[in-house]
């Protein structure tokens, strides 16, 4: 008789999941009329498939009502799988291959191993089985195993299986740690129980005993390799199973504990002194939450999906009942919980491993053991296993400033803090009160952690993980583990803040002189470091609230900076930096910095070179802290140019910015560069362009266009066009120059041709000449944000030419390519359109902030061309899935768009183009 016993609470009554008595009765009845083995097997599969389908539906329905109850859920899937496997075994042994008098060798036991052995199954988990025989496998055992496997495969179970003797298990377990780990979790299911018991005893005495240190080191090495492969804990699309702070980390703890102490449950680690009761409850909570997330992922996708991608985050948050809150989407609230749990898993792992280290099980790294010099520590501290610990807890807590001094001592000695000391700090965070926050010495220690030891990241990250940072700076608590649901930011807000400070420390240490010459030279000349570090720490402090985070952040900074010990003038500078921390980035990336008005407006906002320098360094660190690939030469070039022009304006006066001065300089430079040209040709070239051309382009582009226009004139063909594509390494882009006879809509047609070849436009300039030509310069990048490879340029030129000649119709050809990927569809990007008549002397600036897609620029420019709008240039700034396209335009009479009705009319047309394009992109 088959009896299944649940291992703990299930998510619904056991017989609703799998009623073994009813199923065996059904089978017995069916077999009365069926004698053929193949038919019996098919009938078994039919009956079990119905039971499996009903059981899975029952479990999923119950989980939908209790979306956080992951432990009962994983037990329920295990219970259902046990039912299927044991029934298949019973049918194979009793009905398909019955043995009247089995010999000593004709015994078999079926064991569950791996996660299935542990009794933890997600909806799409593998079913790992071990078929155990006493000696070499017999023909009977082979038939039983084969029949069982065919039935389980027909049930669409993902079965991993091996057939071994006890001897095989011991030999293979000695050679391979993965097999040894699977054996660690073996669980008897059906067949000869004495055989299974013998394996269990011999594993403990002959394989596990005495090899504890070896096993731990292998598991920790696996963990390090896994984290290296999966990336850091705070990546915004985490892997729930393999990622840092994920389920595999918790399982590793369990494996090590079971291997050394033989525990069956993590709860048994509490009486052994490895976990405090509250740490154990943290373990259970983290495990339950991560399993719930993983199970929802499997149920949503119908397969073993472990990566929490953007589109799935939204759906899982919805299934788990998260709702929007002021200023934040439900998915952001859900992911903040996820990252907080992942951080806790990291802390638990650290505590556990150090406890093991204390019992000398985990070996210290060999080189460390040989070369370690014990650093001298201040009174009140001691060194335990090379880590900084507190000598006397009571004494330590008698002065609450010690909660900060511990981190200072850690930085001073270069030692890691011992988890016992960390536990002490975490348990006494209540000591950090207003009185301590106002304490002058506490303020000094806190600022010194950032300013004095050259490695602020280590102290800040550890303080953040232990809750000290939020206790000392309560305003910081709100952004801990806060995720911003977009593709631009690779980290949570607190991690981004720490990354910006990492970048500042690297520049200070002189490690980034080559890639960041301007920021490095500013710091070398000397700036107020205290102001910079505090401004970076506070720049995003107001993220995730309904109000503008720069304005609200500045208000918070006004209160916090004096509390950190800054004087009135420094506090005001910090407040100003937080208020305008996006200004330089916006000016450089969303405006034309060759327009004198842009520089003039920016110079008026910053007022002094000192502030300009501080804002430049802050902007560089902020952009670099967004993610590993956000910074590039294009942004660097824009910021350097804006800094140089603004500095010149602040030092020599605004008059230097006028167009005439710049034009005269540019013409002079062109004449000396083309010294082999005749005077007549030079005069024609310098006389044919209007003023904006001379200041909008650099010398190499002026030379390029001069040669292209000369070639057009010499060709004598009015329909001729010149297209030159060149890598522009200084800007991390490819420069595409177009020259041809002017006619309406050329800008849009070029934009369409570039979209068709998969080019992303980052900047574009369009200038008409006095003699009827148009010179358009576009800077483009490939899909990865890099210049196109030189080998691809001839083919690109050919394809662009075809489109411009009308051989390919961009609008039709783009339909199939202008698509948004599935994982990116979950983002909401509202459209904002702004008309600005003050930002430029001669143009109206139209700023379109919307959802990015391949054909967007073409749609917008086509719409503007159809409305007879002349586009002088376009500046494109991309932030993940969001893009800001800024157009400098005039009407057909060369005037700005002052009338509100005209602005409204244009806005309506642009919004229509965006909406229609967006619908096409997700169809």
């Amino acid at each position: 008789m088959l009896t299944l016993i649940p291992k703990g609470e299930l998510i619904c009554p056991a017989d609703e999941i799998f009623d073994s008595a009813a199923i065996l009765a059904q089978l017995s009845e069916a077999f009365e009329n069926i004698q053929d083995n193949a038919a019996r097997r098919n009938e078994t599969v039919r009956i079990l498939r119905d039971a499996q389908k009903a059981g899975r539906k029952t479990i999923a329905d119950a989980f939908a009502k209790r979306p956080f109850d992951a432990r009962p859920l994983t037990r329920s899937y295990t219970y259902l799988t046990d039912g299927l496997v044991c029934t298949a075994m019973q049918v194979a042994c009793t009905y398909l291959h019955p043995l009247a008098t089995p010999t000593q060798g004709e015994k078999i036991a079926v064991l569950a191993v791996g996660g299935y052995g542990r009794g933890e199954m997600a909806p799409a988990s593998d079913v790992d089985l071990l078929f155990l025989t006493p000696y070499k496998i017999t023909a009977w055992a082979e038939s039983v195993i084969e029949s069982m496997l065919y039935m389980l495969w027909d049930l669409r179970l993902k079965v991993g299986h091996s057939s071994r003797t006890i001897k095989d298990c011991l030999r293979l377990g000695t050679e391979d740690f993965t097999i040894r780990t699977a054996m660690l979790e073996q669980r008897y299911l059906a067949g000869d129980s004495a055989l299974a018991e013998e394996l269990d005893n011999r594993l403990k005495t002959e394989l596990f005993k005495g090899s504890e240190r070896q096993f731990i080191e292998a598991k920790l090495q696996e963990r390090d390799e896994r984290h290296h492969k999966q990336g850091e804990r705070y990546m915004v699309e985490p892997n729930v199973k393999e990622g840092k702070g994920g389920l595999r980390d918790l399982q590793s703890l369990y494996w090590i504990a079971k291997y050394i102490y033989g525990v069956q449950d993590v709860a048994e680690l509490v009486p052994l002194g490895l976990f405090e009761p509250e740490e154990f409850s943290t373990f259970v909570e983290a495990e339950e939450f991560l399993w719930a997330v993983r199970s929802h992922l499997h149920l949503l996708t119908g397969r073993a999906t472990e990566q929490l991608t953007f589109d799935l985050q939204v759906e899982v948050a919805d299934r788990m009942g998260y709702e929007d809150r002021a200023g934040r989407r439900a998915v952001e609230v859900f992911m903040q919980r996820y990252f907080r749990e992942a951080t806790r898993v990291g802390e638990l792992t650290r505590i556990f491993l150090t406890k093991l280290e204390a019992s000398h099980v985990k070996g210290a790294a060999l080189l460390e053991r040989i070369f370690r010099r014990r650093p001298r520590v201040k009174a009140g501290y001691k060194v335990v296993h090379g880590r900084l610990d507190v000598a006397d807890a009571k004494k330590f807590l008698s002065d609450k400033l010690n909660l900060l001094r511990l981190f200072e001592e850690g930085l001073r000695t270069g030692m890691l803090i011992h988890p016992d000391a960390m536990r002490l700090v975490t348990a006494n965070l209540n000591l950090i009160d207003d009185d301590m926050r106002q304490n002058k010495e506490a303020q000094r220690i806190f600022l010194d952690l950032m300013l004095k030891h050259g490695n602020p990241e280590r102290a800040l990250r550890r303080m953040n993980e232990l809750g000290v940072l939020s206790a000392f700076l309560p305003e910081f608590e709100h952004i801990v583990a806060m995720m911003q649901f977009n593709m631009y930011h690779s980290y949570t807000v607190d991690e981004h803040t720490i990354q910006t400070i990492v970048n500042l420390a690297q520049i200070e240490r002189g490690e980034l002189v080559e890639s960041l010459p301007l920021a490095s030279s500013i710091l070398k000349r000397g700036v107020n470091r205290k102001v910079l570090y505090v401004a970076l720490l506070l720049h995003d402090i107001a993220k995730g609230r309904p109000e503008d985070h720069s304005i609200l952040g500045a208000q918070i900074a006004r209160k916090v900076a004096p509390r950190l010990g800054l004087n009135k003038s420094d506090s005001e500078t910090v407040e100003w930096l937080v208020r305008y921390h996006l200004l330089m980035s916006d000016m450089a990336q969303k405006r034309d910095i060759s327009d004198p008005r842009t520089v003039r407006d920016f110079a008026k906002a910053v007022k002094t070179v000192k502030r300009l320098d501080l804002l430049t360094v802050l902007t560089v660190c902020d952009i670099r802290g967004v993610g590993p690939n956000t910074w590039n030469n294009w942004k660097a070039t824009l910021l350097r140019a804006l800094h140089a022009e603004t500095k010149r304006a602040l030092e020599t006066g605004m008059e230097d910015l006028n167009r005439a001065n710049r034009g005269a300089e540019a013409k002079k430079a062109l004449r000396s560069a083309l010294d082999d040209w005749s005077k007549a040709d030079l005069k024609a070239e310098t006389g044919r362009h209007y003023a904006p051309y001379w200041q909008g382009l650099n010398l190499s582009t002026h030379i390029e266009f001069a040669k292209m226009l000369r070639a057009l004139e010499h060709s004598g063909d009015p329909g001729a066009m010149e297209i030159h594509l060149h890598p522009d390494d200084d800007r991390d882009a490819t420069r595409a120059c177009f020259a041809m006879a002017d006619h309406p809509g050329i800008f849009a047609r070029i934009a369409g041709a570039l979209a068709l070849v998969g080019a992303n436009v980052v900047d574009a300039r369009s200038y008409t000449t006095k003699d009827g030509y148009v010179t358009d310069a576009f800077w483009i990048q490939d899909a990865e944000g890099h210049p196109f490879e030189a080998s691809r340029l001839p083919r690109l030129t050919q394809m662009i030419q075809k489109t411009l000649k009308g051989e390919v119709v961009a609008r039709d050809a783009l339909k199939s390519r202008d698509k948004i990927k599935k994982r990116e569809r979950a983002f909401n990007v509202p459209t904002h359109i702004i008309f600005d008549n003050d930002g430029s002397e001669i143009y109206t600036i139209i700023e379109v902030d919307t959802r990015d897609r391949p054909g967007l620029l073409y749609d917008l420019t086509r719409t503007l061309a159809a409305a007879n709008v002349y586009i002088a240039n376009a500046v494109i700034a991309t932030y993940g899935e969001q893009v800001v396209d800024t157009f400098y335009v005039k009407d057909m009479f060369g005037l700005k768009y002052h009338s509100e009705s005209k602005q409204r009319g244009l806005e309506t047309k642009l919004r229509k183009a965006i909406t229609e394009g967006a619908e096409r992109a997700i169809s």
Side-chain angles (χ1 to χ4, degrees):
M1 185 61 196
L2 175 64
T3 47
L4 294 176
I5 300 160
K7 306 278 185 293
E9 183 209 348
L10 303 181
I11 202 152
C12 52
D15 55 1
E16 287 179 24
I17 296 171
F18 190 88
D19 187 343
S20 49
I23 284 162
L24 285 177
Q26 233 181 315
L27 285 166
S28 166
E29 192 182 324
F31 291 167
E32 280 175 17
N33 306 316
I34 305 170
Q35 300 309 315
D36 175 57
N37 267 6
R40 283 184 161 190
R41 204 176 69 197
N42 291 341
E43 184 62 10
T44 306
V45 169
R46 188 190 67 74
I47 289 170
L48 287 182
R49 188 178 289 143
D50 289 348
Q52 178 192 30
K53 203 173 167 187
R56 289 185 74 87
K57 185 180 184 311
T58 304
I59 295 170
D61 290 350
F63 190 45
K65 292 189 186 102
R66 296 160 56 188
F68 286 87
D69 285 4
R71 281 199 145 213
L73 176 88
T74 57
R75 287 191 206 107
S76 299
Y77 281 112
T78 305
Y79 184 78
L80 175 60
T81 311
D82 285 357
L84 299 170
V85 173
C86 293
T87 307
M89 171 75 172
Q90 188 145 343
V91 168
C93 290
T94 313
Y95 295 103
L96 304 182
H97 312 285
L99 267 184
T101 50
T103 64
Q104 193 57 32
E106 284 172 326
K107 287 179 182 172
I108 188 168
V110 183
L111 283 79
V113 290
Y116 177 37
R118 198 169 54 245
E120 288 184 335
M121 291 194 84
S125 289
D126 293 354
V127 179
D128 292 324
L129 297 175
L130 168 63
F131 295 102
L132 191 65
T133 53
Y135 315 113
K136 191 172 178 299
I137 199 159
T138 63
W140 170 81
E142 208 162 273
S143 304
V144 169
I145 293 167
E146 191 177 294
S147 294
M148 268 188 80
L149 287 174
Y150 276 120
M151 286 188 271
L152 297 175
W153 286 332
D154 285 347
L155 290 171
R156 302 272 185 276
L157 291 176
K158 285 189 292 180
V159 183
H161 63 96
S162 54
S163 308
R164 295 185 185 131
T165 63
I166 292 179
K167 217 174 187 174
D168 292 336
C169 292
L170 294 170
R171 179 175 54 79
L172 292 164
T174 309
E175 295 163 7
D176 186 327
F177 276 105
T178 311
I179 293 175
R180 196 183 297 194
T181 309
M183 296 287 178
L184 182 64
E185 302 189 296
Q186 44 81 22
R187 176 172 64 89
Y188 168 75
L189 289 174
D192 193 309
S193 57
L195 193 57
E197 209 169 307
E198 187 188 341
L199 172 70
D200 193 39
N201 293 331
R202 288 186 64 184
L203 283 173
K204 283 174 187 163
T205 54
E206 294 175 39
L207 182 62
F208 301 161
K209 204 171 179 192
S211 60
E212 291 87 353
R213 174 176 287 186
Q214 231 186 330
F215 180 77
I216 290 168
E217 292 189 347
K219 286 289 127 197
L220 294 180
Q221 192 182 340
E222 267 175 36
R223 187 188 68 144
D224 293 342
E225 283 165 11
R226 195 171 63 243
H227 290 173
H228 186 68
K229 187 178 162 193
Q230 287 296 331
E232 282 309 301
R233 181 183 317 151
Y234 299 109
M235 298 307 272
V236 286
E237 288 185 294
N239 185 310
V240 182
K241 184 181 174 186
E242 304 285 350
K244 194 169 181 180
L247 278 166
R248 187 65 87 207
D249 280 0
L250 285 178
Q251 283 159 4
S252 298
L253 290 190
Y254 173 69
W255 289 330
I256 293 170
K258 188 167 185 185
Y259 201 93
I260 297 166
Y261 301 105
V263 303
Q264 293 304 314
D265 192 323
V266 182
E268 295 172 48
L269 295 174
V270 178
L272 288 170
L274 285 151
F275 276 149
E276 299 292 328
E278 60 273 17
E279 286 162 353
F280 169 66
S281 62
T282 302
F283 183 103
V284 171
E285 203 177 304
E287 185 182 42
E288 185 115 21
F289 179 79
L290 292 170
W291 268 109
V293 172
R294 184 179 181 214
S295 302
H296 285 297
L297 273 177
H298 285 201
L299 288 168
L300 269 169
T301 58
R303 55 197 166 83
T305 306
E306 312 298 354
Q307 188 98 29
L308 199 45
T309 52
F310 291 128
D311 52 330
L312 292 172
Q313 288 172 14
V314 176
E315 295 186 60
V316 173
D318 184 47
R319 284 178 73 107
M320 293 180 80
Y322 284 90
E323 291 175 353
D324 293 353
R325 291 185 195 167
R328 299 177 68 199
R329 288 182 65 179
V331 63
E332 293 176 318
V333 181
F334 159 61
M335 289 306 291
Q336 184 165 26
R337 165 91 193 265
Y338 179 89
F339 289 119
R340 289 191 169 184
E341 295 297 349
T343 311
R344 285 186 189 129
V345 171
E347 282 170 37
L348 288 170
T349 314
R350 214 167 29 238
I351 289 165
F352 179 69
L353 295 177
T354 315
K355 276 292 181 191
L356 290 182
E357 199 172 42
S359 40
H360 302 291
V361 177
K362 176 177 171 269
L366 186 63
L367 282 173
E368 273 189 72
R369 289 203 292 263
I370 298 169
F371 295 113
R372 182 183 287 159
R373 276 181 30 229
R374 290 177 76 100
R376 295 180 60 132
V377 292
K378 288 184 176 171
Y381 298 101
K382 62 180 180 181
V383 179
V384 179
H385 293 299
R387 291 168 188 248
L388 184 67
D389 200 357
V390 170
D392 178 338
K394 203 172 171 194
K395 217 169 169 186
F396 178 83
L397 295 173
S398 66
D399 180 355
K400 48 190 170 191
L401 293 192
N402 284 331
L403 293 173
L404 287 177
R405 286 194 190 109
L406 172 68
F407 297 97
E408 187 174 39
E409 185 64 2
L411 284 188
R412 190 189 70 78
T413 56
M415 287 165 71
L416 294 171
I417 296 170
H418 193 283
D420 282 352
M422 292 189 206
R423 275 166 143 167
L424 187 65
V425 169
T426 313
N428 292 283
L429 289 175
N430 57 320
L431 294 177
I432 303 176
D433 54 11
D434 280 339
D435 175 47
M436 178 167 161
R437 292 180 201 112
Q438 303 294 346
N439 183 299
K440 288 268 186 287
E441 178 63 4
Q443 295 164 355
R444 179 202 64 75
I445 299 168
F446 184 78
L447 287 176
D448 279 359
L449 289 172
M450 291 198 287
L451 296 166
K452 201 172 171 183
H453 303 278
N455 188 4
E457 164 197 11
R458 216 172 82 195
L460 287 174
R461 183 165 278 125
R462 192 60 75 239
M463 287 164 77
N464 187 30
E465 285 176 2
L466 297 179
V468 176
L469 194 51
S470 299
F472 191 69
L473 204 65
E475 294 81 359
F476 200 81
E477 161 66 24
H478 182 69
I479 60 167
V480 173
M482 176 190 284
M483 178 223 194
Q484 299 167 80
F485 191 65
N486 58 47
M487 280 165 57
Y488 181 57
H489 293 91
S490 300
Y491 305 111
T492 50
V493 183
D494 54 338
E495 179 65 14
H496 159 70
T497 301
I498 292 171
Q499 289 289 343
T500 64
I501 289 171
V502 169
N503 273 284
L504 179 55
Q506 284 178 308
I507 303 170
E508 281 202 312
R509 293 196 296 265
E511 292 169 15
L512 301 173
V513 175
E514 272 184 42
S515 50
L516 302 177
L518 174 60
S520 299
S521 68
I522 289 173
L523 288 183
K524 206 171 176 190
R525 285 200 302 272
V527 292
N528 189 327
R529 297 174 62 236
K530 195 188 292 184
V531 162
L532 252 182
Y533 274 102
V534 173
L536 278 174
L537 183 67
L538 302 179
H539 78 283
D540 274 349
I541 198 108
K543 272 274 169 88
R545 301 176 197 238
E547 306 91 334
D548 179 324
H549 82 281
S550 301
I551 297 171
L552 188 60
Q555 292 165 7
I556 293 171
R558 186 184 308 160
K559 287 191 298 211
V560 173
R563 205 173 71 220
L564 292 177
L566 273 65
N567 63 33
K568 190 169 185 289
S569 137
D570 286 353
S571 296
E572 281 169 4
T573 309
V574 167
E575 183 187 339
W576 183 86
L577 284 168
V578 174
R579 171 66 186 88
Y580 294 107
H581 73 270
L582 294 174
L583 178 66
M584 189 171 193
S585 166
D586 284 349
M587 281 288 195
Q589 293 184 76
K590 299 181 190 174
R591 289 289 179 266
D592 175 10
I593 50 180
S594 68
D595 188 316
R597 182 68 69 89
T598 302
V599 178
R600 192 172 298 154
D601 288 350
F602 182 59
K604 279 180 183 166
V606 294
K607 293 189 174 64
T608 67
V609 174
K610 193 172 98 178
R611 274 188 175 179
L612 172 68
D613 284 350
L614 287 168
L615 185 57
T616 303
V617 176
L618 182 125
T619 304
V620 169
C621 295
D622 191 12
I623 295 173
R624 286 176 66 92
V626 164
N629 308 310
T630 321
W631 181 257
N632 56 26
N633 278 350
W634 177 257
K635 288 171 186 164
T637 306
L638 293 175
L639 289 172
R640 275 178 218 143
L642 182 56
H643 180 274
E645 292 288 344
T646 310
K647 190 176 180 197
R648 189 167 119 185
L650 289 168
E651 286 176 345
T652 61
M654 302 283 182
E655 303 72 58
D656 250 24
L657 293 173
N658 72 40
R659 288 177 185 276
N661 285 358
R662 283 182 173 187
E665 284 170 24
K667 288 177 189 177
K668 193 176 165 189
L670 183 68
R671 283 190 199 99
S672 59
L674 299 176
D675 54 1
D676 56 338
W677 280 35
S678 69
K679 264 189 177 166
D681 280 357
L682 276 173
K683 193 175 179 191
E685 178 58 29
T686 53
R688 67 167 25 128
H689 300 285
Y690 294 103
Y693 173 86
W694 295 108
Q695 69 203 49
L697 299 169
N698 60 8
L699 177 62
S700 71
T701 315
H702 285 151
I703 296 168
E704 188 81 45
F705 276 133
K707 291 175 179 172
M708 290 166 80
L709 289 168
R710 189 151 83 154
L712 280 179
E713 286 190 321
H714 287 175
S715 77
D717 174 6
M721 62 175 84
E722 287 282 315
I723 303 174
H724 288 197
L725 268 59
H726 275 291
D728 187 343
D729 295 333
D730 287 348
R731 301 188 180 198
D732 260 352
T734 300
R735 185 185 65 197
C737 291
F738 303 86
M740 62 195 91
D742 187 18
H743 48 86
I746 284 181
F747 194 95
R749 280 175 58 196
I750 295 173
L754 291 171
L756 265 185
V757 296
N760 290 327
V761 178
V762 285
D763 201 355
R765 315 267 145 164
S766 179
Y767 303 100
T768 50
T769 66
K770 295 170 186 172
D771 52 354
Y773 290 107
V774 64
T775 51
D776 283 357
F778 282 72
W779 278 265
I780 56 177
Q781 293 175 332
D782 65 15
E784 264 68 62
H786 302 301
F788 283 91
E789 288 170 27
S791 59
R792 289 183 64 191
L793 296 183
R795 170 128 176 79
L796 284 180
T797 308
Q798 227 178 343
M799 288 163 76
I800 291 166
Q801 213 146 12
K802 274 187 173 177
T803 312
L804 291 179
K805 283 180 177 166
E807 292 170 31
V808 176
V809 181
R811 191 190 303 197
D812 300 339
L814 263 175
K815 276 179 188 162
S816 61
R817 301 182 193 205
D818 190 11
K819 297 289 176 198
I820 293 172
K821 293 183 189 129
K822 183 178 181 292
R823 68 176 265 269
E824 295 169 14
R825 289 184 189 176
F827 300 109
N828 297 337
V829 181
T831 296
H832 299 288
I833 298 176
I834 297 165
F835 287 79
D836 172 5
N837 279 311
D838 301 324
S840 172
E841 284 167 33
I842 52 177
Y843 301 112
T844 291
I845 301 171
I846 304 177
E847 187 181 291
V848 181
D849 182 339
T850 190
R851 174 64 188 263
D852 195 17
R853 56 185 168 79
L856 176 70
L857 184 65
Y858 174 55
D859 284 349
L860 296 177
T861 51
R862 206 176 74 227
T863 305
L864 292 172
N868 295 315
V869 177
Y870 165 66
I871 302 170
N873 48 34
V875 181
I876 289 94
T878 309
Y879 307 92
E881 74 285 358
Q882 178 190 5
V883 69
V884 180
D885 287 352
T886 307
F887 302 100
Y888 283 66
V889 304
K890 296 184 200 177
D891 68 12
M892 59 200 297
F893 307 110
L895 301 171
K896 286 186 177 184
Y897 283 87
H898 280 294
S899 112
E900 259 192 50
S901 63
K902 278 188 178 172
Q903 288 182 10
R904 271 202 306 275
L906 270 182
E907 180 173 346
T908 305
K909 287 173 181 168
L910 288 169
R911 283 186 181 275
K912 184 169 182 261
I914 290 167
T915 308
E916 285 173 359
E919 284 167 4
R920 191 174 61 239
I922 56 170
S923 61

